[in-house]
Amino acid sequence: MLSGLGPARKRELLIFGGISAAVFLCLLFFIAFFASREAARRRLDLEYRAFQISTSLMEYFLMRSASSDELPPGVRSYGIYDQEGKALRRSPLAPGRIDAGKESDSLWISSGTIKLLRRLGRPEMGRMWRFRSPQAAEGAMDGNPSLPGKALPGREGATLEGIPPPGLGQGAGRGDFLRRGGSILFIEIPDGDYRRRELFFNLGALVLALGLFGLYLLLIRLYGRTLILSDREERSRELIQLGEAARTLAHEIKNPLSIIKIQCDTLDRLLPPERKRNLAIILDETGRLAALSDKVGDFLRSGRGHAEPLDLGAWALEFAERNSLPPPRALPGLMVFIDPSRLESIAGNLLKNAREAGGPIEGIELRLGGAPLWARLELLDRGPGIEPNTAADIFKPFFSTKAGGSGIGLALASKFASEAGGSLEYRSRSGGGSLFRLNLPRKR
């Protein structure tokens, strides 16, 4: 894209690309920011639902008897564990032990389920505390073993002694496990397609980001093409102005040339023979200038001329006979649609260049070829050929590799071929020389 732009247009495209890239990156940042916030919100909703179910589960078991193993709706498994991770009571699908070293209120998602560990209080929660003086004897009290006491500031030797509450013996109910301080509750519930919805959301964010990136590339491409078309439009306007000037100049040149020719004819009748040689030089240069003016006028005119159906094989045989060339191999049925005078101009210009190339005359030949959609006319010579670094420019107006050449002939031939719906190509000939190929669409 940049190869078709000038330095100023390239700089303009780079500035536009930088600004639009900054806008694009800002949009990507906002997409990533809102996607992360939405993911955090959904995760928080999930945690809230899990904790809500765990609270409902505790209330459910506090209200039911110890013999009931029925799980509430929406719960796959549950378990109550002590501080070492050993199960105190659990459903069949709950693990026998848990990692008690996990942080409080741990939640994780795996295999389509949500698993939650929730600590039900500190180890000292659920105990009964009483004041014990330093003189009190150590041992049992009210039939219950004493637990380690807490020292009381300012009361030397005095402690608060903790004892378990009643009702946590071997015959305790299911609700008594929940009342015990330091217990760990494990629940497992379905994730409600959380993983699938998370995947769809992430894919949506990715598709949106890729869409924005594709839109950015399309925008850059369209802007670059706009700049290229703008440059072409400016060059076209310049060429149109140049063409109008050249057409006017060619028309204005013809009038003085006609007057010069008339005056030369008059002088030719009046001057002595020894002076007529100079008149012949003037007439030759005047004719060359008139021919150049005609070619410029032809190049500036557009259209297909007076196109008509033409048998290319028969025309090539006649052209070869008129110009003393070996007749090409006949290929009947090569019908094309072109102005015969323009085809004559194309072939005549190619033949003129081949003869001026300096190769042997017998090396010049015509060839015919055909394909289902195209007819082909080739003119070959054994001249020095064209340098590879200049071959791409030979069809440009006013470009010539010959001293004194006008640079109009090949440009005009290429223009006539293009307006007939075909093309004119140059290739190096195997063994040395040039090959010019005229491709014309076949008429059915």
Side-chain angles (χ1 to χ4, degrees):
M1 182 184 297
L2 292 177
S3 59
L5 297 175
R9 294 296 191 183
K10 288 181 181 179
R11 186 162 52 250
E12 185 177 347
L13 179 61
L14 291 176
I15 292 173
F16 176 81
I19 295 174
S20 55
V23 174
F24 169 72
L25 291 176
C26 289
L27 290 176
L28 282 185
F29 171 78
F30 282 117
I31 290 174
F33 174 76
F34 285 115
S36 63
R37 291 298 298 270
E38 179 62 18
R41 186 195 65 79
R42 290 197 307 275
R43 175 80 180 192
L44 189 61
D45 288 344
L46 193 67
E47 293 179 1
Y48 174 75
R49 185 165 70 92
F51 277 99
Q52 192 178 37
I53 292 176
S54 69
T55 302
S56 300
L57 181 68
M58 289 189 293
E59 294 176 355
Y60 177 82
F61 283 118
L62 285 171
M63 296 172 60
R64 300 180 73 85
S65 64
S67 61
S68 176
D69 289 327
E70 181 183 356
L71 293 177
V75 178
R76 296 186 60 177
S77 64
Y78 85 98
I80 302 173
Y81 302 84
D82 61 14
Q83 289 295 310
E84 282 104 31
K86 182 180 178 181
L88 300 175
R89 189 176 294 274
R90 67 184 179 92
S91 65
L93 296 179
R97 294 187 63 88
I98 62 170
D99 183 7
K102 286 183 176 291
E103 295 182 0
S104 176
D105 300 340
S106 299
L107 182 142
W108 67 97
I109 305 171
S110 64
S111 303
T113 61
I114 303 169
K115 298 177 182 178
L116 173 68
L117 288 181
R118 182 175 181 183
R119 296 185 184 273
L120 301 179
R122 298 185 300 275
E124 62 270 15
M125 291 179 63
R127 295 177 183 170
M128 296 177 63
W129 298 90
R130 70 180 178 183
F131 174 76
R132 185 176 186 183
S133 65
Q135 292 79 18
E138 297 181 358
M141 179 180 301
D142 296 334
N144 290 317
S146 297
L147 298 177
K150 289 186 177 181
L152 293 177
R155 302 289 295 274
E156 185 176 352
T159 61
L160 281 177
E161 189 174 66
I163 61 174
L168 291 181
Q170 293 182 353
R174 187 177 304 185
D176 294 324
F177 289 102
L178 298 175
R179 295 189 185 97
R180 176 176 295 176
S183 298
I184 302 174
L185 173 66
F186 167 83
I187 63 169
E188 182 181 10
I189 61 176
D191 68 351
D193 290 336
Y194 173 80
R195 291 284 191 183
R196 185 171 61 85
R197 287 185 283 111
E198 187 77 6
L199 177 61
F200 286 160
F201 180 82
N202 292 334
L203 285 177
L206 179 61
V207 169
L208 180 59
L210 292 177
L212 285 176
F213 183 69
L215 183 62
Y216 166 75
L217 294 180
L218 179 63
L219 184 64
I220 293 297
R221 182 174 180 82
L222 291 177
Y223 190 78
R225 288 183 62 84
T226 300
L227 294 179
I228 292 176
L229 293 176
S230 179
D231 280 348
R232 288 179 180 175
E233 184 181 0
E234 290 183 4
R235 287 196 294 268
S236 297
R237 283 199 298 266
E238 293 174 356
L239 289 176
I240 290 173
Q241 294 174 357
L242 180 62
E244 293 294 333
R247 184 181 291 110
T248 302
L249 183 62
H251 178 73
E252 294 297 328
I253 286 176
K254 282 187 175 181
N255 291 331
L257 290 179
S258 300
I259 295 174
I260 291 173
K261 187 175 183 305
I262 292 173
Q263 295 299 321
C264 287
D265 291 339
T266 302
L267 290 175
D268 183 60
R269 291 193 299 269
L270 299 176
L271 291 177
E274 62 271 12
R275 299 284 183 159
K276 291 184 179 182
R277 181 173 173 275
N278 295 332
L279 287 178
I281 296 175
I282 295 175
L283 287 174
D284 289 342
E285 293 299 320
T286 302
R288 189 175 69 85
L289 191 57
L292 177 60
S293 177
D294 291 337
K295 286 183 178 181
V296 171
D298 290 339
F299 182 80
L300 294 175
R301 279 192 293 271
S302 60
R304 303 179 66 178
H306 301 287
E308 60 184 54
L310 183 69
D311 187 338
L312 187 61
W315 181 92
L317 289 173
E318 182 185 352
F319 179 84
E321 183 180 358
R322 282 190 285 107
N323 292 277
S324 303
L325 294 177
R329 183 172 61 90
L331 286 178
L334 289 181
M335 297 298 297
V336 295
F337 194 73
I338 191 173
D339 186 337
S341 64
R342 291 194 170 190
L343 180 59
E344 185 76 27
S345 174
I346 295 172
N349 192 277
L350 296 179
L351 179 60
K352 177 175 175 292
N353 289 341
R355 287 173 173 171
E356 291 177 352
I361 299 299
E362 59 273 13
I364 302 175
E365 58 180 298
L366 278 177
R367 290 181 185 174
L368 290 171
L373 298 178
W374 296 90
R376 186 172 65 246
L377 175 67
E378 296 178 344
L379 194 142
L380 305 88
D381 65 59
R382 288 296 181 185
I386 298 174
E387 294 293 331
N389 57 341
T390 60
D393 299 324
I394 59 175
F395 296 115
K396 293 181 179 179
F398 309 110
F399 178 86
S400 178
T401 59
K402 298 183 297 184
S406 63
I408 290 294
L410 286 178
L412 185 61
S414 178
K415 185 173 183 292
F416 284 167
S418 177
E419 289 179 345
S423 63
L424 183 62
E425 304 172 356
Y426 166 79
R427 296 183 182 180
S428 296
R429 187 180 182 184
S430 178
S434 300
L435 184 154
F436 284 90
R437 176 177 295 167
L438 173 64
N439 298 304
L440 293 172
R442 298 185 66 170
K443 176 177 174 57
R444 296 185 180 275

